[in-house]
């Protein structure tokens, strides 16, 4: 890998200046490298992080068919990585005008990385530097422990999509602890409000009583206050203690829980595994925000490279080249989804709407279509508004909040369906719906979403680890369960159980043999497919998996084939 | 419709058919497809445009390197990876010893070219298992896509032929994936990997040997008095023998070597001599059902398995393998190369007997039995218009008289009932599978079988 030449670097610096003037914010330094195919060969398995730890899976083709993006929340072909300084990669024969466009795109990405709050936990350190020291640590361990290092990596990677990314973020944004006692906080904030649902005047009475107690005696006030409480709510003490425990456990994701509580890892001879486990977890956390902001991030970068390129005086004469290239990247496909195109349009749309002041109560109160159409408060705040969005939202909120009917209409978006036409022996694509809610739902369904699996402490007994899959109408991939649980069992050192839901049976649609040219009815029949779910429990014990049905669920789901 | 087929159909019908069988036959009968090669120039869907080929793209498949800079091609160099594949497989074996299941699949990609320039590309692959959501409950048909542009709700905006897998038949299993870790290798290497790493059985008795008009020169003959290389051990033995006769060696405990006489005749030399080379040789018939019902996955599966078998035999017979390719629907034809075998599109009805008859004819006409170990591998989806095997079974019996092994693979359609195809039924009924267990094997798999299953199947087909 080679740094770009001085000439190109100068172009980059020019881009930075213009981007800053336009309102983007990013750190001074950045590194730009020319990559050859050989470099890419090494970089892509390592997710473009040159210093990522070595692992044999990086050397083989990983099967992609099944849930590629569910498995790997990171894009192996990113041009810019979220490090300090940010590093970006280029072809060595890009013409200058094209580099200008790419630089703007890259700078907008860097701006996004360094301002979007979902990346908050990546701001305080340089990932490549950290990764390098981790890589050395793992290499050293590998020279001592051999292949067992790779087993540990493998088993932790098996659960690295369950990292508590949102917990990590929430921990960062938690307000500093109050000086008051936890019991007091719990009593007023949770117990009275959620558990007892007391009326407001009673609540205020309690506060007054507390203040009175404190006034009477600073030291013993709280005690006397709670003496009364215990009398009034004898159950309070127990509930409070239980809440303490819950709180404590909620904080830990599966990997952390293993680190904290696994008898196997606690053993002296297995101590070396812990740092490896930490590394895998940290790496996963690092990539989490990336996949959760794909549409926004690419949309934001496309939005800015378009805007800034057209204002750049250095590239006059290349407007047509740019137009062609830009259209290639950001055109809406007839069928399919392009995050660049969608995100960019949504930012444009939001800016426009915000400029007119339509995100306001005043506008929302309007019922008349014509008035709504012509509404324009000329706030001029559109730009601020989109900057705000890039700072505070992720894909889910972005789409859920801003994809509305006007947006769908304006860009002629629709949900496309696909069906078999027996007569013509073709698959037909058709316009299924132009409703905003359908389009939004289609987008949301496509977003990255790992299963929600928690540790059930009260069901874990005799040293077993009990995992609860909170079912969201999507079962787990069955073939993967065995090996994943095998890994967890290894790290836990005792049997592991997983409770999840599975399909009882899908009523097999009869093999519809149709005879082309004959008189068999070709029209699609509407058939109802009934899916019944049952709750099952897998147990991994001594590397053997067993399964038992614990309850069949009533909630049968009906889907209609259209 | 082909009048000959129609006639055949009527004849079969007279003999009585269950409605299900009849439906299957009719399905093939009225299918007017032909056995052309896929037309490479018109690979695109007829009416659909570019957009309809990219529909499977998920938003997460877009990336800056490709979309902005068009950086893609990542070709690994051949020798770097070939070393790693050995390492990988070694590691995989170790896993098993450590009590964990194996994880490496050796995927292969066949790129048949005309004129025997078939390339086998070995792609080691693996899966990292995690708890993830299974989206396969939603069939592809139900899965909604995003779209943009004009069109009323309900309006059809494009079409894509459903025979798509066949149109792209040229790339076959693992199509178009051309990832960075391919290893180009010939079938021999693949056979070696299969034999060594997947513990496919080695052939113990390679059967009849056939002499080749080939000589090798080796220091195998012995000669007394002169030669190229002194055989010391033999010479010493000779000297001892001579001296025993001379009475110079009477008491072993009291050896007096100074009294030993060495005659020039006692010197034994090795001398260069001409050797005739004997090698066993195999003739493999690959028979594939390319009737209309074979569309899609079953064909891919059968061909993939045949390539693996071919590779294995090639290794076992040290390259001394000749192949013949037979395709059949209701009639059988022999095709000259793997390209045609692999790429011919499916169409028409099914009569297994036609293929067996052709094999028998070839073997007889060319008198192959004398010179070759003959293997016959037949791949089908199990449909046969000859529903009770009245015609196929006699042909099969004849085959069993001369062959080393007949392996029949049935790739069952997912929508059918399992273990219920015609071929399977009449084979089982005939009792040949038990009677001639050493000669005839059958492997039944679902059409969505994966690679380990394929290799398992091969083990079954070829094991002793």
């Amino acid at each position: 890998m080679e740094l770009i030449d001085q000439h190109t670097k100068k172009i980059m610096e020019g881009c930075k200046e213009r981007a800053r003037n336009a309102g983007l914010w990013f750190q001074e330094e950045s590194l730009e490298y020319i990559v050859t195919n050989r470099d890419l060969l090494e970089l892509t398995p390592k997710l473009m992080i040159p210093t990522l730890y070595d692992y044999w899976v990086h050397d083989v083709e990983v099967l992609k068919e099944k849930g590629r993006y569910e498995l790997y929340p990171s894009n192996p072909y990113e041009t810019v990585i979220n490090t300090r300084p940010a590093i970006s990669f280029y072809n060595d024969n890009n013409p200058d005008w094209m580099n200008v466009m790419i630089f703007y795109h890259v700078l907008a990405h860097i701006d996004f990385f360094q301002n979007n709050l979902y990346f908050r936990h990546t701001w305080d350190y340089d990932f490549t530097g950290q990764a390098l020291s981790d890589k050395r640590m793992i290499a050293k361990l590998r020279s001592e422990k051999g292949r067992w290092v790779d087993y540990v990596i493998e088993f932790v990677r098996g659960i690295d999509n369950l990292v508590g990314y949102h917990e990590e973020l929430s921990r960062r944004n938690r307000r500093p602890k109050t000086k008051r006692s936890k019991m007091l906080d719990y009593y007023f904030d949770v117990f009275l409000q959620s558990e007892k649902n007391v009326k407001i005047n009673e609540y205020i009475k309690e506060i007054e009583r507390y203040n009175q107690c404190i006034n009477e005696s600073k030291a013993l006030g709280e005690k006397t206050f709670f003496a009364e409480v215990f009398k009034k709510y004898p159950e309070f003490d127990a509930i409070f203690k239980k809440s303490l425990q819950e709180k404590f456990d909620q904080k830990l994701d599966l990997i952390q829980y293993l680190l904290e509580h696994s008898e196997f890892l606690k053993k002296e001879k297995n101590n070396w595994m812990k740092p490896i486990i930490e590394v895998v977890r940290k790496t996963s956390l690092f990539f989490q925000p990336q996949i959760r902001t794909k549409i926004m991030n690419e949309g934001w970068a496309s939005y800015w490279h378009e805007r800034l390129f057209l204002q750049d005086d250095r590239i006059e004469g290349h407007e047509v080249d740019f137009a062609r290239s830009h259209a290639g990247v950001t055109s809406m496909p007839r069928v399919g989804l392009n995050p660049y195109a969608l995100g960019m349009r949504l930012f444009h749309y939001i800016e426009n709407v915000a400029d007119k002041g339509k995100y306001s109560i005043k506008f929302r109160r309007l019922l008349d279509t014509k008035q709504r159409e012509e509404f324009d408060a000329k706030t001029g705040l559109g730009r601020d508004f989109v900057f705000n969005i890039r700072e505070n939202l992720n894909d889910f909120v972005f789409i859920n909040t801003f994809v509305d009917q006007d947006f769908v209409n304006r860009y002629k978006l629709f949900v496309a369906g696909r069906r078999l036409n027996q007569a013509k022996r073709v698959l037909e694509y058709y316009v299924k719906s132009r409703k905003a809610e359908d389009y939004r739902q289609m987008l949301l369904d496509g977003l990255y979403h790992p299963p929600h699996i928690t540790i059930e402490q009260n069901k874990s007994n005799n040293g077993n680890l009990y995992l609860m899959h909170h079912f969201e109408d999507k079962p787990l991939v069955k073939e993967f369960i065995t090996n994943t649980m095998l890994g967890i069992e290894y790290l836990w050192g005792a049997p592991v159980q997983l409770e999840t839901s599975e399909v009882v049976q899908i009523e097999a649609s009869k093999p519809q043999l149709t005879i082309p040219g004959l008189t068999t009815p070709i029209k699609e029949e509407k058939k109802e497919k009934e899916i019944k779910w049952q709750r099952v429990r897998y147990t991994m014990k001594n590397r053997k998996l067993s399964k038992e049905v614990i309850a069949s669920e009533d909630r049968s789901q009906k889907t209609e084939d259209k | 419709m082909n009048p000959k087929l129609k006639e055949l159909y009527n004849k079969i019908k007279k003999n009585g058919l269950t409605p299900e069988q009849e439906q299957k036959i009719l399905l093939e009968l009225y299918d007017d497809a032909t056995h052309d090669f896929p037309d490479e120039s018109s690979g695109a869907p007829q009416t659909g445009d570019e957009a309809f080929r990219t529909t499977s793209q998920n938003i997460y498949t877009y990336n800056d390197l490709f979309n902005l800079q068009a950086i893609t091609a990542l070709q690994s160099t051949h020798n770097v990876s070939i070393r790693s594949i050995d390492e990988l497989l070694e590691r995989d074996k170790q896993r098993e010893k450590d009590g964990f299941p194996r994880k490496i699949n050796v995927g292969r990609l066949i790129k048949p070219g005309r004129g025997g320039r078939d390339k086998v590309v070995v792609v080691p692959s693996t899966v990292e298992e995690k708890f993830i959501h299974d989206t396969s409950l939603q069939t592809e048909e139900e899965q909604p896509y995003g779209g943009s542009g004009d069109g009323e709700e309900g309006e059809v905006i494009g079409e894509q032929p459903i025979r798509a897998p066949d149109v792209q038949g040229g790339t076959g299993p693992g199509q178009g994936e051309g990832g960075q870790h391919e290893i180009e290798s010939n079938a021999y290497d693949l056979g070696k990997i299969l034999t060594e790493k997947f513990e496919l059985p080695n052939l113990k008795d390679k059967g009849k040997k056939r002499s080749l008009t080939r000589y090798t020169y080796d220091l195998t003959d012995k000669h007394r008095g002169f030669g190229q290389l002194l055989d010391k051990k033999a010479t010493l033995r000779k000297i001892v023998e001579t001296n025993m006769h001379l009475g110079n060696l009477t008491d072993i405990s009291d050896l007096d070597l100074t009294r030993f006489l060495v005659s020039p005749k006692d010197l034994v030399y090795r001398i260069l001599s001409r050797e005739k080379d004997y090698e066993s040789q195999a003739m493999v018939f690959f028979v594939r059902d390319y009737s209309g019902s074979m569309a899609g996955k079953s064909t891919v599966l059968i061909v993939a398995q045949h390539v693996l078998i071919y590779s294995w035999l090639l290794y076992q017979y040290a390259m001394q393998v000749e192949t013949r390719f037979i395709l059949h629907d209701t009639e059988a034809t022999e095709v000259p190369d793997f390209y045609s075998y692999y790429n011919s599109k499916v169409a028409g009805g099914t009569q297994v007997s036609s293929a067996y008859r052709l094999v028998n004819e070839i073997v007889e006409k060319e008198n192959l039995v004398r010179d070759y170990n003959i293997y016959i591998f037949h791949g089908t989806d199990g449909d046969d218009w000859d529903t009770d095997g009245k015609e196929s079974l006699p042909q099969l019996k004849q085959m069993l008289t001369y062959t080393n092994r007949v392996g029949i693979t049935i790739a069952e359609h997912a929508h059918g009932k399992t273990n219920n195809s015609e071929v399977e039924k009449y084979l089982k009924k005939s009792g040949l599978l038990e009677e001639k267990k050493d000669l005839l094997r059958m492997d039944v798999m679902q059409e969505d079988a994966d690679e380990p299953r394929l290799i398992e199947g091969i083990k079954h087909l070829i094991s002793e």
Side-chain angles (χ1 to χ4, degrees):
Chain A
M1 279 197 319
E2 232 174 81
L3 283 170
I4 51 170
D5 57 31
Q6 287 299 305
H7 165 74
T8 322
K9 183 70 180 173
K10 203 174 152 199
I11 296 176
M12 179 51 150
E13 291 304 318
C15 288
K16 280 187 189 168
E17 201 186 316
R18 289 171 175 80
R20 279 212 187 83
N21 291 340
L24 294 180
W25 181 89
F26 39 83
Q27 290 180 345
E28 280 297 321
E29 289 83 22
S30 66
L31 287 170
E32 293 78 29
Y33 287 99
I34 300 289
V35 284
T36 60
N37 269 357
R38 179 177 280 271
D39 297 329
L40 280 175
L41 211 59
E42 281 168 24
L43 278 174
T44 49
K46 299 199 163 190
L47 313 163
M48 303 307 281
I49 309 290
T51 53
L52 201 69
Y53 61 86
D54 296 308
Y55 179 47
W56 64 271
V57 171
H58 295 151
D59 297 333
V60 291
E61 175 96 356
V62 176
L63 288 186
K64 298 192 184 84
E65 298 90 56
K66 211 158 231 165
R68 174 73 176 83
Y69 296 93
E70 296 283 326
L71 287 174
Y72 306 103
S74 42
N75 195 332
Y77 304 107
E78 219 44 85
T79 272
V80 51
I81 56 174
N82 175 23
T83 50
R84 302 290 178 282
I87 295 175
S88 45
F89 305 100
Y90 304 89
N91 241 338
D92 63 349
N93 50 6
N94 289 342
D96 284 352
W97 68 265
M98 190 189 234
N99 269 333
V100 171
M101 170 179 138
I102 301 170
F103 286 155
Y104 283 132
H105 192 92
V106 163
L107 287 173
H109 274 317
I110 299 177
D111 168 86
F112 197 89
F113 287 149
Q114 301 187 352
N115 289 285
N116 183 286
L117 289 171
Y118 285 85
F119 290 84
R120 179 67 191 84
H121 64 296
T122 67
W123 290 356
D124 304 331
Y125 71 106
D126 170 31
F127 185 71
T128 39
Q130 175 76 54
L132 181 62
S133 86
D134 292 342
K135 175 193 167 114
R136 287 180 181 147
M137 184 266 293
I138 288 179
K140 183 167 170 287
L141 280 172
R142 197 177 272 128
S143 69
E144 292 165 17
K145 310 286 178 192
R147 61 185 184 279
W148 296 95
V149 171
D150 294 278
Y151 292 140
V152 173
I153 296 179
E154 175 188 328
F155 297 148
V156 192
R157 278 170 72 110
I159 47 175
D160 74 350
N161 60 335
L162 307 178
V163 286
Y165 162 63
H166 291 103
E167 286 77 6
E168 180 73 30
L169 281 183
S170 104
R171 198 170 306 137
R172 297 216 165 235
N173 292 322
R174 202 161 293 160
R175 259 175 291 167
K177 280 194 187 111
T178 52
K179 278 184 193 147
R180 272 164 316 220
S181 77
K182 276 185 186 161
M183 197 193 273
L184 194 66
D185 278 348
Y186 183 77
Y187 182 69
F188 280 108
D189 293 349
V190 184
F191 186 75
L192 286 184
Q193 294 182 37
S194 320
E195 295 274 334
K196 290 288 153 195
N197 290 325
V198 295
K199 293 209 179 81
I200 293 176
N201 58 348
E202 281 179 54
Y203 188 78
I204 292 171
K205 261 188 211 156
E206 278 297 285
I207 295 178
E208 274 171 7
R209 192 171 69 80
Y210 172 75
N211 288 340
Q212 213 177 341
C213 290
I214 292 291
N215 284 342
E216 278 166 18
S217 155
K218 272 236 147 115
L220 293 172
E222 196 171 315
K223 229 176 189 177
T224 37
F225 173 75
F226 273 109
E228 192 76 13
V229 169
F230 289 142
K231 232 184 270 166
K232 197 171 171 192
Y233 307 110
E235 73 276 24
F236 174 73
D237 194 37
I239 294 177
F240 170 64
K241 281 195 177 124
K242 199 176 152 207
S243 82
L244 280 182
Q245 202 173 2
E246 267 173 23
K247 272 251 171 80
F248 175 71
D249 290 331
Q250 266 171 8
K251 273 194 226 158
L252 301 180
D253 60 40
L254 180 54
I255 302 179
Q256 283 174 313
Y257 191 84
L258 291 173
L259 282 169
E260 195 82 17
H261 299 291
S262 163
E263 293 299 327
F264 175 76
L265 293 175
K266 272 182 198 162
K267 284 181 193 156
E268 177 86 34
K269 60 169 184 171
N270 296 328
N271 245 327
W272 58 270
M273 296 180 183
K274 288 190 174 180
I276 299 177
I277 297 173
E278 292 276 10
V279 168
V280 176
R281 177 169 183 275
K282 220 163 35 190
T283 309
S284 171
L285 277 177
F286 175 80
F287 285 115
Q288 291 295 321
Q290 224 128 314
I291 199 165
R292 288 183 164 88
T293 53
K294 179 79 181 176
I295 297 174
M296 280 183 80
N297 208 339
E298 294 302 354
W300 182 250
S302 302
Y303 169 93
W304 281 105
H305 85 230
E306 178 189 60
R307 170 154 295 177
L308 292 171
F309 186 92
L310 292 177
Q311 289 169 4
D312 198 310
D313 48 325
R314 296 172 298 173
I315 44 75
E316 274 169 16
H318 287 288
E319 285 80 2
V320 176
D321 293 330
F322 169 77
R324 187 177 292 138
S325 182
H326 178 65
V329 176
T330 62
S331 62
M332 288 297 254
R334 182 76 164 130
V335 172
L337 281 175
N338 172 340
Y340 298 79
L342 186 70
M344 185 183 83
R345 279 169 181 73
L346 197 46
F347 271 116
H348 276 306
Y349 170 77
I350 293 167
E351 184 180 9
N352 191 331
V353 173
D355 259 338
K356 291 183 177 166
K358 286 187 179 180
Y359 292 120
S360 63
I361 292 176
K362 200 175 162 198
F363 174 75
R364 274 172 205 180
R365 281 206 180 128
L366 285 181
L367 295 174
D368 186 277
T369 323
K370 199 162 157 45
Q371 278 180 1
R372 282 176 77 96
E373 226 165 77
E374 288 170 355
F375 185 91
D376 189 355
K378 297 209 168 60
T379 61
L381 293 174
R383 187 66 64 85
D384 289 349
F385 198 81
V386 289
F387 268 105
N388 231 326
I389 288 169
R390 86 88 156 80
E391 184 172 312
N392 289 296
L393 303 192
N394 66 359
D395 277 349
F396 179 85
V397 193
F398 186 57
I399 288 165
N400 203 30
T401 316
F402 295 108
V403 173
D404 52 23
Q405 196 64 52
D406 286 341
F407 175 70
V408 170
N409 291 347
R410 171 152 177 204
Y411 292 104
K412 296 184 178 170
L413 304 177
F414 58 84
V415 178
R418 199 159 82 147
R419 67 183 163 215
L420 191 67
N421 184 331
Q422 292 279 13
K424 288 166 83 180
R425 303 195 133 255
V426 291
L427 281 173
E428 288 177 344
Y429 290 85
Y430 63 102
V431 180
K432 198 169 177 182
S433 167
R434 286 188 179 275
K435 288 199 196 81
E437 64 247 50
D438 293 338
Y439 193 79
R440 195 162 50 224
Q441 197 54 46
M442 182 269 302
L443 289 176
L444 294 180
D445 286 343
L447 292 182
Y448 174 74
H449 182 63
H452 180 38
I453 294 176
T454 54
I455 300 143
E456 286 297 295
Q457 255 192 335
N458 47 4
K459 290 196 174 183
S460 311
N461 42 30
N462 305 329
N464 282 12
L465 180 65
Y466 200 98
L467 301 176
M468 178 75 82
H469 173 213
H470 301 269
F471 186 56
E472 295 162 278
D473 285 340
K474 279 184 213 157
L476 300 177
V477 173
K478 256 189 190 170
E479 302 96 291
F480 290 178
I481 288 179
T482 316
N483 277 358
T484 313
M485 289 187 69
L486 189 83
I488 305 173
E489 193 206 12
Y490 178 83
L491 295 173
W492 179 246
V496 175
Q497 291 177 302
L498 169 75
E499 188 179 318
T500 180
S501 293
E502 266 177 15
V503 178
V504 177
Q505 190 192 12
I506 300 176
E507 197 183 303
S509 51
K510 277 179 208 151
Q512 240 196 338
L513 285 167
T514 40
I515 297 160
L518 278 196
T519 49
T520 19
I522 279 149
K523 69 170 198 288
E524 298 268 308
E525 284 168 50
K526 258 195 183 177
K527 43 188 173 176
E528 279 207 339
K529 209 164 55 177
E530 191 137 346
I531 301 176
K532 271 200 183 124
W533 298 102
Q534 63 185 6
R535 207 64 185 156
V536 297
R537 176 164 53 223
Y538 284 96
T539 305
M540 176 62 76
K541 193 176 175 186
N542 298 326
R543 300 189 184 169
K544 287 270 177 330
L545 189 73
S546 59
K547 182 170 100 172
E548 60 195 308
V549 177
I550 38 186
S552 68
E553 279 173 41
D554 303 330
R555 38 182 306 199
S556 57
Q557 192 195 19
K558 278 181 188 172
T559 49
E560 274 186 15
D561 281 353
K562 278 177 197 160
Chain B
M1 183 198 329
N2 189 332
K4 248 169 44 191
L5 281 184
K6 180 87 180 169
E7 199 181 306
L8 186 63
Y9 166 64
N10 290 333
K11 211 170 80 192
I12 296 168
K13 201 172 176 185
K14 246 182 262 162
N15 295 339
L17 282 171
T18 66
E20 202 182 317
Q21 284 166 342
E22 180 166 354
Q23 209 180 6
K24 272 191 206 167
I25 291 175
L26 282 176
L27 191 63
E28 291 186 335
L29 188 62
Y30 285 90
D31 182 10
D32 48 5
T34 59
H35 290 308
D36 315 335
F37 294 132
D39 188 354
E40 273 148 35
S41 55
S42 70
Q46 296 130 359
T47 47
D49 46 334
E50 282 291 304
F52 293 101
R53 289 202 279 173
T54 56
T55 44
S56 59
Q57 272 209 339
N58 172 293
I59 56 165
Y60 299 115
T61 56
Y62 284 83
N63 64 74
D64 281 354
L65 274 188
F66 177 71
N67 288 294
L68 287 178
Q69 307 196 50
I71 302 180
T72 45
L74 304 167
Q75 288 288 333
S76 172
T77 48
H78 169 167
N79 34 7
V80 173
S81 321
I82 199 89
R83 193 197 61 224
S84 69
I85 192 168
D86 278 348
E87 278 172 18
L88 283 170
L89 292 168
E90 201 49 52
R91 180 192 288 276
D92 220 27
K93 245 185 195 167
Q94 185 62 49
R95 285 180 68 88
E96 214 161 35
K97 284 182 204 149
D98 291 335
F100 305 118
R102 292 184 164 220
K103 276 190 82 109
I104 299 279
N105 292 321
V106 176
R108 66 268 155 271
L109 217 90
I110 314 125
K111 293 178 176 165
R114 281 209 180 268
R117 287 182 309 147
D118 310 335
K119 260 193 244 165
V120 178
V121 178
V122 181
V123 186
S125 65
T126 188
V127 192
E128 289 200 78
E129 285 114 332
K130 297 181 188 190
F131 292 138
I132 56 167
H133 285 138
D134 189 353
T135 47
S136 62
L137 269 184
Q138 236 184 354
T139 61
E140 278 216 29
E141 223 174 296
E142 290 165 357
Q143 212 153 10
Y145 295 91
S148 66
D150 296 322
E152 294 293 309
E153 280 189 21
E155 196 177 316
V156 173
I157 50 170
E159 293 172 347
Q160 189 182 35
I162 44 171
R163 278 184 183 275
D166 236 77
V167 173
Q168 299 165 359
T171 45
Q175 17 183 286
E177 265 178 24
Q180 63 264 55
H181 291 293
E182 314 187 326
I183 301 162
E184 268 185 32
S185 140
N186 55 33
Y188 181 82
D189 286 344
L190 181 59
K192 182 162 169 252
I193 290 169
L194 285 173
T195 310
E196 287 179 0
K197 311 297 176 182
F198 291 98
E199 281 136 28
L200 287 184
N202 274 302
L203 283 181
K204 279 179 202 129
D205 174 18
K206 289 183 186 172
K208 292 176 278 295
K209 301 224 167 177
R210 177 187 111 119
S211 90
L212 296 171
T213 49
R214 203 174 79 188
Y215 294 93
T216 53
Y217 290 86
D218 207 352
L219 289 165
T220 45
D221 282 14
K222 291 182 179 176
H223 196 270
R224 291 166 75 170
F226 67 90
Q228 276 87 20
L229 191 75
L230 184 70
D231 188 337
K232 290 174 187 156
K233 195 174 176 185
T235 306
L236 277 175
R237 199 179 284 130
K238 208 74 204 164
I239 294 171
V240 172
E241 197 185 319
T242 315
N243 284 288
M244 276 169 89
H245 288 305
L246 291 171
N248 290 337
L249 196 148
T250 44
D251 184 4
I252 311 178
S253 59
D254 180 29
L255 269 182
D256 184 5
L257 291 179
T258 51
R259 293 184 56 199
F260 268 37
L261 294 175
V262 180
S263 134
K265 274 273 175 190
D266 285 343
L267 299 177
V268 181
Y269 289 89
R270 287 190 176 273
I271 191 166
L272 206 60
S273 65
R274 199 161 78 147
E275 297 287 326
K276 227 179 192 179
D277 209 10
Y278 290 93
E279 268 181 53
S280 52
Q281 183 157 306
M283 170 72 78
V284 192
F285 285 91
F286 286 114
V287 184
R288 166 159 93 87
D289 176 0
Y290 69 158
S291 65
S293 58
M294 288 287 289
K297 272 190 163 175
S298 36
T299 296
V300 173
L301 210 60
I302 294 295
V303 178
Q305 196 180 38
H306 282 179
V307 167
L308 292 175
I309 293 174
Y310 172 66
S311 308
W312 175 76
L313 282 169
L314 206 62
Y315 176 68
Q316 289 292 326
Y317 281 94
M319 311 290 277
Q320 297 298 316
V321 180
E322 282 179 41
T323 42
R324 306 292 282 263
F325 299 102
I326 312 269
L327 289 166
H328 78 88
D329 45 19
T330 48
E331 281 165 23
T333 68
E334 187 179 358
V335 291
D337 53 18
F338 191 67
Y339 179 87
S340 320
Y341 182 68
Y342 188 79
N343 282 316
S344 295
K345 287 202 269 190
V346 298
T350 322
Q351 272 205 313
V352 173
S353 57
S354 64
Y356 291 176
R357 192 178 300 121
L358 182 64
V359 173
N360 285 332
E361 273 168 24
I362 293 175
V363 170
E364 198 178 334
K365 210 164 72 194
E366 301 181 17
N367 200 4
L368 298 171
V369 179
R370 196 194 59 199
D371 295 336
Y372 291 93
N373 296 303
I374 295 174
Y375 293 83
I376 300 159
F377 292 99
H378 178 212
T380 171
D381 58 356
D383 286 350
D384 194 351
W385 288 13
D386 173 20
T387 50
D388 43 12
K390 252 182 287 179
E391 288 169 57
S392 333
L393 285 174
Q395 296 292 342
L396 182 62
K397 276 179 193 153
Q398 197 193 328
M399 269 160 49
L400 292 173
T401 57
Y402 57 77
T403 172
N404 287 43
R405 179 62 53 88
V406 177
I408 297 172
T409 309
I410 299 174
E412 283 187 337
H413 288 296
H415 56 67
K417 277 178 257 166
T418 50
N419 299 335
N420 202 31
S421 61
E422 272 91 30
V423 177
E424 185 178 355
K425 273 193 290 191
Y426 68 63
L427 272 179
K428 278 192 174 154
K429 221 165 120 192
S430 71
L432 284 173
L433 284 168
E434 280 81 43
E435 210 176 295
K436 305 264 185 185
K437 202 167 174 281
D438 50 336
L439 293 180
L440 178 66
R441 294 288 167 83
M442 181 178 68
D443 180 34
V444 183
M445 59 180 135
Q446 297 292 313
E447 67 177 350
D448 53 0
D450 54 1
E451 183 183 319
R453 175 66 188 81
L454 268 185
I455 292 178
E456 206 44 53
I458 298 174
K459 270 190 199 170
H460 175 70
L461 290 180
I462 61 186
S463 60
E464 293 289 320

